[in-house]
Amino acid sequence: MSFAELTRARYSCRSYEDRAVEPEKLAAIVEAGRIAPSAHNNHPTRLIVCDTPEARAKAAKAAHNFAKDGSVFGAPVVLLACAKTNDAWVRRQDQMNSSLIDTTIVVDQMMMQAVDLGLQTCWVCMFDPAVAREEFGLADDVLPVSMLTLGYAADSIAEPDKREARCITREEFVL
């Protein structure tokens, strides 16, 4: 599958089969995140792999609006991407901390790797970071940034015309 095809095949999956993700696929997804680029190669992202009932329940507690079957959207795996903000590169001119950008790149690479392996994902930012911090016992310098649910889709992607209608036009996108 070409990268262009991969980007068109990806969608926000909100319903998953009751089927485990194979360990080798999960390992490949985690590796895609581990090798993602980061500003100044500081690699401030840390990952919590929620692939047990207990860990998925903790993630679901933080993302309670999307809790389903003891997980987030019923996914067999939830990845919680966190940033160690103190480890990130900081731009001198305006003190912009790269940790959120770096962590976003990690999640994006894992998401695309999952789709390439026949899985689907949903990028979740609507969760309570304070609950995630408490549930997972995170240190003060570890910021929960986003979750990535993954598994085998039990729903399907919208038709191309419906997907296109939800996208910004090229004229609006390019300044």
Side-chain angles (χ1 to χ4, degrees), residues 83-86 133-134 137-144:
K84 290 192 70 160
T85 56
N86 294 337
R133 180 182 306 286
E134 182 178 325
L138 300 176
D140 290 341
D141 69 331
V142 179
L143 173 68

Side-chain angles (χ1 to χ4, degrees), residues 62-82:
H64 69 275
N65 290 334
F66 306 127
K68 178 182 172 189
D69 300 329
S71 186
V72 180
F73 294 125
V77 178
V78 179
L79 303 176
L80 176 60
C82 303

Side-chain angles (χ1 to χ4, degrees), residues 100-151:
L100 295 179
I101 296 166
D102 294 337
T103 301
T104 298
I105 293 168
V106 166
V107 173
D108 186 59
Q109 285 203 186
M110 292 189 303
M111 177 180 64
M112 299 311 278
Q113 179 65 75
V115 175
D116 188 52
L117 294 171
L119 302 166
Q120 281 298 339
T121 65
C122 188
W123 196 322
V124 179
C125 288
M126 190 175 162
F127 69 95
D128 188 332
V131 173
R133 180 182 306 286
E134 182 178 325
E135 287 297 312
F136 292 101
L138 300 176
D140 290 341
D141 69 331
V142 179
L143 173 68
V145 175
S146 60
M147 294 182 185
L148 186 68
T149 61
L150 66 99

Side-chain angles (χ1 to χ4, degrees), residues 18 28 35 42 46 50 53 57 76 85 109 112 119 131 149 166 171:
D18 183 18
I35 65 170
N42 283 17
R46 299 297 181 270
C50 304
T85 56
Q109 285 203 186
M112 299 311 278
L119 302 166
V131 173
T149 61
R166 292 191 301 244
E171 293 74 25

Side-chain angles (χ1 to χ4, degrees), residues 39-57:
H40 208 260
N41 283 321
N42 283 17
H43 299 284
T45 305
R46 299 297 181 270
L47 190 67
I48 297 173
V49 178
C50 304
D51 60 351
T52 66
E54 298 77 23
R56 288 190 303 268

